[in-house]
Amino acid sequence: MIAQTDKEKKHRGINALIVEKDMDGFVIGPKENKLGIRGSDTHSLMFNDVKVPKENRIGEDGFGFKFAMKTLAGGRIGIAAQALGIAAGAYELALKYSQERKAFGTEISNHQAIAFKLADMYTRIQAARLLVYQAAKDKDNGDNYDLSGAMAKLYASQVAMETAVEAVQIHGGNGFVKEYHVERLMRDAKITRIYEGTSEIQKIVISRSILQ
Ligand SMILES: Cc1cc2nc3c(=O)[nH]c(=O)nc-3n(C[C@H](O)[C@H](O)[C@H](O)COP(=O)(O)OP(=O)(O)OC[C@H]3O[C@@H](n4cnc5c(N)ncnc54)[C@H](O)[C@@H]3O)c2cc1C
């Protein structure tokens, strides 16, 4: 017999269940009015004393916690990729704008203050890309991706936020106007630091992994 760890014992009672839409006590809340990712609808799901039959349990009794953690770990790579896409999109818009907009007699990309922002963005995006690819590679190879996924999500979401804020800055006043799209990327970037585990939670995962 294999001895159970304290953690396994603690989470023994947690199960994953399939709740069907028409079950009594299951309520879908109204659509949330969000800061960003407004093209994707979000609703709260409420469960009030819902009775779910045993047949709707996923896996063995007690499998739920492990299942939830694995789902979250995999999802983190997806959110890291989303963040990377937001960062790359914001950078491309900023690069293009900086080569078109003239101020003080020259394209703003010729001002070192702007060129250095682009250099920082490009470098950080490339670093985030490598972390995302590493996590995806670990998952594809069947290796453990808890640490690499958490690092990719933590860093790529930070880069998305920083890059989008700087892209708005490079656009000047136009960055604040919806027509130029960078303000939308700035709003969209924020959620990548929150869902699928906040940045603070990623740091808990990473530090636990390196300190074990
Ligand atoms: C648009 C959107 C879509 C979502 N989609 C889904 C979904 O599909 N499925 C789903 O299950 N959830 C979803 N969520 C919920 C989302 O995953 C949670 O909001 C997120 O995980 C943070 O949890 P919380 O809101 O309870 O924040 P809290 O846990 O209340 O955290 C508040 C603050 O405290 C910090 N904090 C909390 N605990 C600690 C700790 N131990 N140490 C240090 N800091 C800590 C957090 O990092 C955060 O800064 C969604 C949320 C949004 C906004």
Side-chain angles (χ1 to χ4, degrees):
M1 198 181 128
I2 300 167
Q4 282 188 318
T5 63
D6 286 348
K7 194 174 160 194
E8 279 166 346
K9 279 183 200 153
K10 192 172 147 201
H11 300 303
R12 203 168 38 193
I14 297 177
N15 281 304
L17 308 166
I18 296 173
V19 176
E20 287 158 44
K21 246 180 163 177
D22 54 1
M23 284 178 170
D24 283 345
F26 174 52
V27 179
I28 300 176
K31 185 176 148 184
E32 304 291 350
N33 189 5
K34 305 195 299 280
L35 171 76
I37 58 164
R38 294 178 66 86
S40 157
D41 287 0
T42 304
H43 298 252
S44 294
L45 304 180
M46 284 157 279
F47 305 88
N48 306 313
D49 298 328
V50 184
K51 290 200 170 35
V52 184
K54 241 188 197 158
E55 307 86 80
N56 285 27
R57 188 179 73 204
I58 300 171
E60 295 299 309
D61 190 21
F63 173 63
F65 186 76
K66 207 172 166 186
F67 185 57
M69 289 304 106
K70 271 285 145 232
T71 306
L72 272 176
R76 278 170 192 158
I77 304 175
I79 304 304
Q82 177 191 14
L84 179 60
I86 292 170
Y91 163 76
E92 281 164 23
L93 287 173
L95 176 67
K96 186 166 177 286
Y97 188 83
S98 73
Q99 290 170 320
E100 290 167 1
R101 169 75 177 162
K102 285 188 177 162
F104 293 87
T106 185
E107 287 80 12
I108 57 169
S109 59
N110 291 327
H111 297 302
Q112 196 179 59
I114 301 296
F116 278 11
K117 283 187 198 301
L118 293 168
D120 280 339
M121 287 174 167
Y122 189 76
T123 306
R124 289 180 192 140
I125 290 168
Q126 185 60 5
R129 181 174 288 118
L130 293 174
L131 281 175
V132 174
Y133 285 180
Q134 180 64 55
K137 190 167 149 235
D138 288 346
K139 186 165 188 282
D140 280 352
N141 289 345
D143 296 332
N144 187 302
Y145 51 91
D146 293 347
L147 174 61
S148 56
M151 289 195 299
K153 203 242 174 205
L154 174 68
Y155 189 68
S157 61
Q158 186 183 315
V159 170
M161 198 69 239
E162 288 167 357
T163 308
V165 168
E166 286 297 63
V168 170
Q169 193 68 21
I170 288 175
H171 280 72
N174 284 336
F176 211 68
V177 174
K178 287 197 183 285
E179 193 187 329
Y180 286 82
H181 300 297
V182 275
E183 61 80 35
R184 174 172 57 79
L185 293 172
M186 191 175 98
R187 289 184 289 104
D188 287 353
K190 188 61 194 167
I191 191 62
T192 67
R193 302 202 70 197
I194 296 173
Y195 63 10
E196 221 73 8
T198 62
S199 293
E200 290 77 13
I201 297 301
Q202 303 313 317
K203 288 184 191 179
I204 293 176
V205 174
I206 295 164
S207 57
R208 274 194 191 145
S209 178
I210 58 182
L211 291 170
Q212 73 187 349

